[in-house]
Amino acid sequence: MLLEKPFRVAILPTKYVFEVNKSEDGLVPNRGIEVKFLEVLSQCMHFKYTVVQPQDGEYGQKLDDGWWTGMIGLIVRQKADFALNMIASTQARREVVDFSFPYSIDGTTFFTGPLHYYRKDWHIFIHSIPFCG
């Protein structure tokens, strides 16, 4: 069953993630990993969509007056039905929106100079001790 009303999807144009073209009709998804993900969701769940962008260009933060900016703000104010763009789930955000199960894992790392600059016994430290949090 195809929904009659298209979903409004909040996005932030980001190179390689969610690239868009601008047209007279608004923003048109072009390419990127999240564009492909949205296309798959749309096909599998049988819905149409339009994309909207927060004017402030932010993911979303809570201001001192309780107002939300960015994509989170669009959801809170019902200007968008859902948001898509590798957005981090924080405690404050979880208080006002529901997040999906994570579908992406960030492989953030740090790096050092070549190992020959360090003591030989550092090799064990640099390659085998995970961070704890």
Side-chain angles (χ1 to χ4, degrees):
M1 179 174 106
L2 186 64
L3 297 174
E4 291 180 27
K5 184 178 175 185
F7 281 116
R8 298 162 299 170
V9 182
I11 60 99
L12 283 178
T14 307
K15 191 168 183 135
Y16 306 117
V17 176
F18 206 112
E19 296 183 31
V20 295
N21 291 329
K22 293 181 181 180
S23 75
E24 292 178 2
D25 298 326
L27 299 175
V28 178
N30 180 13
R31 64 181 180 185
I33 189 70
E34 295 283 14
V35 172
K36 286 292 185 191
F37 184 62
L38 181 57
E39 288 172 359
V40 169
L41 282 176
S42 172
Q43 291 170 5
C44 292
M45 298 179 73
H46 309 288
F47 66 85
K48 292 185 185 255
Y49 60 88
T50 60
V51 294
V52 295
Q53 175 182 352
Q55 290 181 345
D56 58 21
E58 293 190 18
Y59 288 97
Q61 61 178 321
K62 187 176 182 180
L63 301 177
D64 291 339
D65 62 3
W67 187 260
W68 279 88
T69 65
M71 294 189 298
I72 299 291
L74 291 176
I75 301 294
V76 169
R77 292 186 299 280
Q78 299 180 353
K79 301 293 182 184
D81 299 302
F82 67 93
L84 190 68
N85 196 313
M86 296 185 172
I87 188 167
S89 172
T90 66
Q91 179 62 37
R93 289 173 177 168
R94 286 190 300 272
E95 291 174 4
V96 294
V97 299
D98 292 324
F99 282 85
S100 71
F101 187 81
Y103 57 87
S104 176
I105 297 173
D106 186 347
T108 303
T109 63
F110 71 94
F111 58 92
T112 66
L115 290 178
H116 66 270
Y117 289 129
Y118 303 101
R119 293 177 31 189
K120 292 194 186 291
D121 57 347
W122 278 34
H123 182 271
I124 293 169
F125 168 74
I126 291 173
H127 292 289
S128 65
I129 298 179
F131 284 83
C132 299

